[in-house]
């Protein structure tokens, strides 16, 4: 059993982050014993760790909430994972397009002989 401060330090997060997860219903706030300090058991700490790992994979708090509620239903969890994969693939495609545009613009800038004019600025200024 650990206090909120100890858990936050162990997971390298702020105490406010844990309180936020409680407020959002992702974790239950432990009861306050007579000593006055709430303590978090291994199960709660594991749940917070799960939330943090899911966030690093790009899941939103709403998606994480769904994942947590579906822990016994692998098919529905798979569906959420596949939806997230589609979003990621779309972002990758968009980033590849951006990369191509920026590469092309910087190439024209590199070959520009007139230092007073900039093809990148001109391109961004024109509609």
């Amino acid at each position: 059993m650990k206090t909120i401060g100890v858990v936050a330090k162990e997971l390298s997060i702020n105490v406010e982050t844990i309180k936020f997860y409680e407020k959002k219903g992702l974790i239950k706030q432990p009861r306050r014993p007579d000593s006055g300090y709430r303590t978090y058991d291994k199960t709660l700490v594991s749940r917070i760790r799960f939330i943090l790992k899911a966030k690093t994979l790009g899941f939103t708090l709403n998606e994480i909430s769904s994942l947590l509620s579906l822990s016994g239903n692998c098919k529905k969890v798979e569906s959420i994972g596949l939806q997230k994969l589609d979003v990621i693939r779309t972002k990758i495609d968009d980033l590849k397009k951006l990369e191509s545009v920026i590469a092309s613009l910087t190439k024209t800038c590199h070959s520009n002989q007139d230092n007073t004019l900039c093809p990148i600025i001109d391109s961004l200024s024109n509609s």
Side-chain angles (χ1 to χ4, degrees), residues 22-76:
E22 291 171 347
K23 189 172 151 181
K24 288 290 188 181
L26 294 169
I27 60 172
K28 290 185 180 180
Q29 186 180 60
R31 290 183 178 201
R32 187 182 302 265
D34 293 337
S35 66
Y37 294 105
R38 292 184 174 96
T39 55
Y40 294 73
D41 62 18
K42 289 180 183 180
T43 302
L44 270 175
V45 174
S46 291
R47 192 170 176 105
I48 297 167
R49 192 173 278 117
F50 176 93
I51 294 165
L52 296 171
K53 286 181 181 179
K55 281 185 63 186
T56 63
L57 292 175
F59 288 100
T60 65
L61 291 182
N62 287 338
E63 291 167 335
I64 293 168
S65 180
S66 294
L67 290 172
L68 288 167
S69 70
L70 296 171
S71 64
N73 190 331
C74 193
K75 287 293 180 191
K76 288 186 179 179

Side-chain angles (χ1 to χ4, degrees), residues 103-114:
S104 176
L105 287 172
T106 55
K107 187 175 181 180
T108 59
C109 195
H110 179 73
S111 61
N112 179 31
Q113 299 298 318
D114 184 356

Side-chain angles (χ1 to χ4, degrees), residues 80-109:
I80 293 170
L82 289 171
Q83 289 172 5
K84 180 53 70 180
L85 192 56
D86 284 343
V87 169
I88 291 168
R89 286 179 175 151
T90 299
K91 286 181 181 181
I92 289 171
D93 289 343
D94 290 345
L95 287 171
K96 286 180 179 178
K97 290 173 188 170
L98 285 173
E99 176 188 33
S100 176
V101 169
I102 298 294
S104 176
L105 287 172
T106 55
K107 187 175 181 180
T108 59
C109 195

